[in-house]
Amino acid sequence: MEHSASQVSVSGKTQAHQTQSLAGVKVLLVEDECDMADLLLFILSEAGAEAIWVMQANDALAQLHRSRPDILLSDIRLPDCNGDWLIQEIRQAEFGRMPRLPAIAVTSYTRGLNANTVLKAGFDRFLPKHIDSEEIISAILDLV
């Protein structure tokens, strides 16, 4: 997968701002496409976030039992279970026991996918995968 320079490069001024903007934020990234995970990890790292990457929904649940991130960033289509299933499992586990984990759904499959369905499943935001660094950082900052 090729990424345009505008997706991966950040101007010096913006980069300095972003490096501080997510400092201390722990992100659980659930993404099965290695190229997309690399891009998202780069964006998060450049912004100062601490990211843990897993490739499957069940691995994400296991990770949540080990440590609690500040936010979840998850693909919708995953190899073991879909993102809707993952967020519903998380919301059931949280119910009455812990604070709600902010969650952003990302996907490249926007045809036939209704953002309202994703939000009703329990995600707080829905972003197509053609997002740029400022958009993803802004969405995270809005929710944490």
Side-chain angles (χ1 to χ4, degrees):
M1 173 187 272
E2 290 185 32
H3 303 292
S4 69
S6 65
Q7 286 180 301
V8 294
S9 69
V10 181
S11 71
K13 182 179 178 185
T14 305
Q15 186 174 6
H17 172 70
Q18 289 178 348
T19 301
Q20 296 176 1
S21 67
L22 293 181
V25 176
K26 295 178 185 173
V27 179
L28 176 56
L29 173 62
V30 188
E31 174 59 66
D32 63 316
E33 295 177 25
C34 292
D35 289 342
M36 182 55 64
D38 286 344
L39 174 61
L40 291 168
L41 289 168
F42 174 79
I43 291 169
L44 294 168
S45 173
E46 286 295 304
E50 177 186 326
I52 297 173
W53 170 40
V54 297
M55 297 179 79
Q56 298 185 24
N58 285 310
D59 293 339
L61 290 176
Q63 182 60 41
L64 285 169
H65 288 297
R66 288 190 289 277
S67 67
R68 181 102 171 145
D70 297 310
I71 192 162
L72 172 73
L73 185 61
S74 179
D75 191 1
I76 294 295
R77 297 203 180 180
L78 298 166
D80 57 347
C81 302
N82 68 32
D84 289 352
W85 176 85
L86 172 61
I87 196 63
Q88 289 169 356
E89 289 294 308
I90 291 169
R91 295 300 181 233
Q92 279 184 331
E94 291 173 333
F95 190 74
R97 288 179 226 137
M98 62 187 77
R100 181 181 171 94
L101 176 67
I104 299 172
V106 292
T107 189
S108 58
Y109 303 100
T110 54
R111 275 193 211 199
L113 184 63
N114 184 332
N116 288 331
T117 303
V118 172
L119 297 175
K120 284 181 183 177
F123 284 98
D124 299 299
R125 287 279 170 81
F126 170 75
L127 297 173
K129 281 190 179 174
H130 63 270
I131 54 178
D132 64 21
S133 59
E134 291 179 26
E135 186 175 9
I136 189 66
I137 291 167
S138 176
I140 291 170
L141 286 172
D142 285 349
L143 294 172
V144 294

